[in-house]
Amino acid sequence: MAQRTTADETLPREELAAYLQELATEFDGESEEVSIRVGNKNVSLNPPHNIDVSVETVERSSMLRGNRETVEIELSWKP
């Protein structure tokens, strides 16, 4: 059974940068365990040395809805 934890929020750029730096620090740390803050919960994971990374960007232009840009970063591995 899969356990999924999700959180959606809007952050100022500075807070987003701090969150991404926090993630980077966790992955760069000495411990094999990585603790990731998701909303008001911390999730502990055990990634291997090599991790699959997928980055996708989408730029949409719409006369009615205006422009929208998205970036998705997905990290995946098999423990």
Side-chain angles (χ1 to χ4, degrees), residues 36-68:
I36 298 176
R37 182 173 44 91
V38 182
N40 62 355
K41 181 179 178 182
N42 280 335
V43 178
S44 295
L45 303 171
N46 295 291
H49 182 71
N50 292 312
I51 297 171
D52 296 327
V53 179
S54 174
V55 178
E56 176 182 350
T57 63
V58 178
E59 301 166 272
R60 292 187 185 100
S61 195
S62 172
M63 294 284 277
L64 300 176
R65 296 183 185 162
N67 296 338
R68 181 160 179 90

Side-chain angles (χ1 to χ4, degrees), residues 20-48:
L20 294 173
Q21 289 171 348
E22 182 182 316
L23 281 177
T25 299
E26 282 292 320
F27 277 93
D28 195 35
E30 297 291 322
S31 175
E32 290 186 21
E33 184 176 274
V34 171
S35 179
I36 298 176
R37 182 173 44 91
V38 182
N40 62 355
K41 181 179 178 182
N42 280 335
V43 178
S44 295
L45 303 171
N46 295 291

